[in-house]
C-alpha cells in the first residue's frame, strides 16, 4: 500500500515539475536554470512543512510516505540539478555554476528549515 501510493504520488510530483518548468519563462533562459532552482527551493520548503507536521504527529506515516517521499521526492530533483550544473561547467560558465550550486544548497536548506520552523512555531 505504501509503495503503490508513493509511486502514484511520485508520478504526480514529476508531472507537476515538468508542467511548471514548461510554463515558466525561466525555463527558456538557457544561461541559468531558474526553473529547477525555484522548483527545488519551493519543494524543500514544502517538504520541511510536511516533515514538521509528521514530526508533531499531525499527519500519518502513510501521508508522510506518500506525499513526502513520493510526491516531493519526484517534484524536487537532484538529478536535474546535477545535470544542469555539469552543463554550466562544460560551457565554462564558472560564475553561473557556482551561483547555481550555492543557491540550490543554501536556499534549499534554508527554506526547508523555515518550513520546519513555521510548523514548530504553531505546535
Amino acid at each position: 500500500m505504501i509503495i503503490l501510493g508513493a509511486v502514484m504520488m511520485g508520478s504526480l510530483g514529476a508531472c507537476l515539475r515538468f508542467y511548471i518548468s514548461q510554463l515558466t519563462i525561466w525555463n527558456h533562459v538557457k544561461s541559468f536554470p531558474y526553473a529547477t532552482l525555484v522548483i527545488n527551493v519551493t519543494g524543500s520548503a514544502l517538504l520541511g512543512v510536511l516533515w514538521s507536521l509528521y514530526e508533531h504527529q499531525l499527519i500519518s506515516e502513510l501521508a508522510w510516505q506518500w506525499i513526502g517521499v513520493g510526491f516531493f521526492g519526484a517534484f524536487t530533483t537532484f538529478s536535474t540539478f546535477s545535470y544542469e550544473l555539469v552543463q554550466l561547467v562544460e560551457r565554462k560558465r564558472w560564475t553561473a555554476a557556482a551561483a547555481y550550486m550555492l543557491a540550490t544548497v543554501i536556499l534549499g536548506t534554508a527554506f526547508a528549515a523555515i518550513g520546519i520552523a513555521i510548523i514548530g512555531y504553531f505546535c
Side-chain angles (χ1 to χ4, degrees), residues 13-34:
C15 288
L16 182 60
R17 178 186 70 221
F18 177 78
Y19 182 72
I20 290 172
S21 70
Q22 294 304 303
L23 274 182
T24 179
I25 192 167
W26 294 328
N27 190 52
H28 303 292
V29 178
K30 300 297 181 195
S31 62
F32 195 86
Y34 292 103

Side-chain angles (χ1 to χ4, degrees), residues 87-103:
Q87 292 296 306
L88 290 171
V89 170
E90 285 180 347
R91 293 182 192 135
K92 298 182 181 357
R93 305 228 34 232
W94 310 115
T95 303
Y100 183 46
M101 181 177 62
L102 291 172

Side-chain angles (χ1 to χ4, degrees), residues 22-100:
Q22 294 304 303
L23 274 182
T24 179
I25 192 167
W26 294 328
N27 190 52
H28 303 292
V29 178
K30 300 297 181 195
S31 62
F32 195 86
Y34 292 103
T36 304
L37 177 63
V38 170
I39 287 167
N40 284 341
V41 170
T42 302
S44 294
L46 295 172
L47 188 60
V49 167
L50 191 70
W51 169 254
S52 194
L53 290 170
Y54 175 65
E55 190 175 53
H56 288 92
Q57 300 177 345
L58 297 172
I59 63 169
S60 68
E61 182 173 354
L62 185 64
W64 163 250
Q65 294 290 337
W66 282 20
I67 302 168
V69 175
F71 182 84
F72 285 113
F75 179 70
T76 59
T77 174
F78 189 76
S79 58
T80 301
F81 159 71
S82 300
Y83 169 77
E84 290 170 341
L85 182 60
V86 168
Q87 292 296 306
L88 290 171
V89 170
E90 285 180 347
R91 293 182 192 135
K92 298 182 181 357
R93 305 228 34 232
W94 310 115
T95 303
Y100 183 46

